[in-house]
Amino acid sequence: MMKYGLPAYTNKTINTGSDAYMHDCIVIGGGIAGLQAAIQLGRYQRNVLVADSNQGRSNLCRCYHNILGWPDGISGETLRETGRIQAEELGIEFKDVHVQKVNKEPGGFRIITAQDQFKAKSVLFATGVVDRLPNLDKLLPCLGISMYICPDCDGYEVLNKPVIVIGSGDAGANMAIALTYWTDEVILINHEIEEIDDQLLKELSDKQVTIHQSPIHSLEVDGDRLKGVLLSNGLNIKAEHGFAALGGNEVRSELAADLGVELYKNKHILVDQRTKMTNIENVFAAGDVVAHSEQVTIAMGDGMQAAIWIHKKLKQATERSM
Ligand SMILES: Cc1cc2nc3c(=O)[nH]c(=O)nc-3n(C[C@H](O)[C@H](O)[C@H](O)COP(=O)(O)OP(=O)(O)OC[C@H]3O[C@@H](n4cnc5c(N)ncnc54)[C@H](O)[C@@H]3O)c2cc1C
């Protein structure tokens, strides 16, 4: 792990795990949004616990290409490691746990994991989204390097280059159509052989997308570089870039929903645009779990904005009680 050269704050008493201890905030999810919020809350010298199960999109992406200040790209792992160190040096505590339940109780919230229970005056959900990825060997090292999931993030990487789409029905078709903005050489593989809507089929044909109706047998890869795919029907297709679009991604909002947080139809959490607070007082949400473009920089902005308002609310509560 890299060491970050920031001074550590020591003027706080951290006593987590005890049933009596009330944190200012518990951040559920230590990905991009959760880490940015934790760093800002640390700078307010708030007593914050980040509970994280370490299984986010930011664990998977080996290179983000569209972030200010990183023209050669930066990995999710590096952002997570440096972010965690930066937060820890501001006094933020981390627990590598999966939160199973959040209950509202007088004065705050109870956060329940398999091992422990924690209490907090406020909660930030930064739990993200899980992509449904094809179950193919050698895929993971390529994510963000030569295999992508989002055309807004990585369409530019395939500018005027051949690209395969590992698709399933309409989700794959829509991805293939989106990529024709960047390149004329789009090959759609309907990996799960799901039906494609007639209108989409027409658009694919108009845009001269080649379609293969066959599962992929295996990926041909050199380290983190895609070289091609072998289809179950024996056909070998060469391409150095690919997108996965199976649809059915999971928005991790069930914990919040169980607490009574309002969701959109697509299961993303509804927040006040200015404060990032949900319909429940002192419950906030940030990052991909909130409805927006699902980008690192937006997750950071969300986390920052939520932290500012979490602090304001805590400050108001202290002032009222004086
Ligand atoms: C292959 C790939 C390529 C990408 N490329 C780009 C790109 O080029 N540019 C870009 O801007 N974005 C890109 N993204 C998207 C980017 O990674 C996300 O927008 C970003 O990670 C969102 O941050 P987040 O904090 O909301 O969620 P995440 O980073 O997913 O973090 C959520 C965290 O919450 C934790 N968690 C969830 N539930 C619980 C629970 N119950 N208890 C404890 N912890 C929990 C998870 O373990 C995880 O650590 C890419 C994503 C992938 C997968």
Side-chain angles (χ1 to χ4, degrees), residues 18-154:
S18 149
D19 194 50
Y21 188 79
M22 180 69 89
H23 294 84
D24 286 327
C25 181
I26 292 185
V27 177
I28 306 176
I32 307 299
L35 284 169
Q36 181 63 70
I39 289 165
Q40 184 61 21
L41 288 167
R43 291 171 65 85
Y44 292 127
Q45 300 192 275
R46 293 292 178 187
N47 290 318
V48 174
L49 173 69
V50 179
D52 182 45
S53 55
N54 212 27
Q55 289 179 329
R57 277 179 158 171
S58 48
N59 293 96
L60 289 176
C61 183
R62 302 206 43 241
C63 193
Y64 295 119
H65 296 101
N66 59 350
I67 300 181
L68 175 72
W70 301 97
D72 296 327
I74 176 88
S75 73
E77 193 186 353
T78 306
L79 285 179
R80 287 179 70 107
E81 282 185 5
T82 52
R84 180 161 172 164
I85 292 166
Q86 191 175 352
E88 279 174 342
E89 295 199 350
L90 290 161
I92 303 299
E93 195 189 355
F94 284 78
K95 294 271 179 199
D96 297 325
V97 290
H98 178 79
V99 175
Q100 294 177 332
K101 186 116 183 75
V102 181
N103 291 333
K104 185 152 177 41
E105 52 182 44
F109 302 89
R110 182 175 292 270
I111 281 76
I112 300 167
T113 74
Q115 301 80 21
D116 277 310
Q117 299 197 2
F118 306 96
K119 292 198 326 188
K121 294 175 198 162
S122 58
V123 175
L124 172 63
F125 286 101
T127 42
V129 167
V130 184
D131 297 286
R132 191 166 77 86
L133 293 170
N135 186 15
L136 292 167
D137 277 355
K138 305 182 187 167
L139 174 71
L140 294 186
C142 299
L143 289 176
I145 308 276
S146 56
M147 276 297 307
Y148 319 101
I149 58 158
C150 150
D152 296 311
C153 304
D154 290 309

Side-chain angles (χ1 to χ4, degrees), residues 132-185:
R132 191 166 77 86
L133 293 170
N135 186 15
L136 292 167
D137 277 355
K138 305 182 187 167
L139 174 71
L140 294 186
C142 299
L143 289 176
I145 308 276
S146 56
M147 276 297 307
Y148 319 101
I149 58 158
C150 150
D152 296 311
C153 304
D154 290 309
Y156 181 77
E157 302 304 311
V158 302
L159 183 64
N160 300 328
K161 294 174 190 154
V163 60
I164 56 159
V165 175
I166 304 177
S168 175
D170 292 351
N174 280 315
M175 175 67 84
I177 291 163
L179 291 173
T180 59
Y181 177 80
W182 302 101
T183 173
D184 293 336
E185 295 180 75

Side-chain angles (χ1 to χ4, degrees), residues 6 60 65 70 82 87 106 118 120 125 138 143 148 194 203 220 228 235 250 252 261 268 281 284 293 311:
L6 293 174
L60 289 176
H65 296 101
W70 301 97
T82 52
F118 306 96
F125 286 101
K138 305 182 187 167
L143 289 176
Y148 319 101
E194 287 290 327
E203 221 177 315
E220 203 180 300
L235 198 68
E250 179 202 344
R252 287 196 280 208
V261 167
H268 285 272
E281 185 93 4
F284 295 77
S293 307
H311 169 66

Side-chain angles (χ1 to χ4, degrees), residues 164-216:
I164 56 159
V165 175
I166 304 177
S168 175
D170 292 351
N174 280 315
M175 175 67 84
I177 291 163
L179 291 173
T180 59
Y181 177 80
W182 302 101
T183 173
D184 293 336
E185 295 180 75
V186 182
I187 303 154
L188 171 61
I189 299 159
N190 194 7
H191 177 56
E192 294 181 334
I193 325 190
E194 287 290 327
E195 201 178 329
I196 300 176
D197 175 80
D198 286 345
Q199 184 55 39
L200 290 176
L201 281 173
K202 180 175 179 311
E203 221 177 315
L204 288 165
S205 157
D206 290 348
K207 294 192 183 291
Q208 297 180 327
V209 172
T210 313
I211 309 178
H212 295 277
Q213 301 282 358
S214 167
I216 292 174

